[in-house]
Every structure is written in structure tokens, then in C-alpha cells.
Amino acid sequence: MSETDFYPVEETVVVPFSDATCRRAIHSLRWRLAEMLAGGPEAVVVDLTGLTRFSSTTVAALLWAKRRCSTRGVPLRLRNADPALAGRLRRAGLDTIWDIQAAPSTPSPTREVS
């Protein structure tokens, strides 16, 4: 397991999730969460950049991590969710469990009219 499975940013710990790294990120949460919480971070931030779908395994791992973080008084936040994924999570009612922040949408390129 690489040391880059999570990293500090200011007063938070960031755990990157993407379609390509989701299994490794879940493993990191399960086996290294105590290490992540050891420094007393302000929050654990799950960066969802590049994650387009949530499996039941992903939901279960994040619910488990949320419970563990909550017992330490540390919020678990989901950031940079693809807007479609953020919408699906909200429709499923998961925004009542997690603080979900969608990724900023990129503006459509404007065409010059000649």
C-alpha cells in the first residue's frame, strides 16, 4: 500500500476516490482510518474526482468510515462529486448522512460569432 492513499491538506486528511482507485481507497479507509485520525484532523475529506458510480461496497465502506470518524468527533465529507453522481446520492437520501459537494461545473465553451 502506497503512502499516497491519503494525504494531509491543511487541517484535513484527503482520501482520493476514482473509478480506477476505488478498491484501493476503500481498503485504505478500512485498514488505515485509525492512522488518518491519529493527528486529530478537522475532517476526513473523500475526494470523488473521477468517480462516476457508487457500488454498495463503496456505500458500506463510507458508512463504516463515517461511524468511526463520528466517534472521534471528526466529520467525513464527500467533495468533488460528479454532478450526476451527486444528484443520484441526493435522490437516494445520502445527503442526509454525508456532506456532499458537487464538483464545480465547467462552463461550456463560448463560440465566437463572426
Side-chain angles (χ1 to χ4, degrees), residues 24-83:
R24 190 172 92 199
I26 289 170
H27 184 270
S28 183
L29 272 178
R30 290 293 245 170
W31 298 107
R32 300 183 72 196
L33 187 59
E35 181 182 344
M36 292 177 208
L37 296 172
E42 181 180 295
V44 173
V45 175
V46 176
D47 183 351
L48 301 176
T49 302
L51 188 71
T52 59
R53 61 193 175 280
F54 254 47
S55 68
S56 58
T57 303
T58 305
V59 171
L62 290 173
L63 288 171
W64 177 87
K66 167 115 173 115
R67 283 191 303 274
R68 294 293 185 264
C69 288
S70 292
T71 62
R72 300 283 292 273
V74 176
L76 183 118
R77 299 182 177 129
L78 306 183
R79 296 289 184 256
N80 298 320
D82 173 87

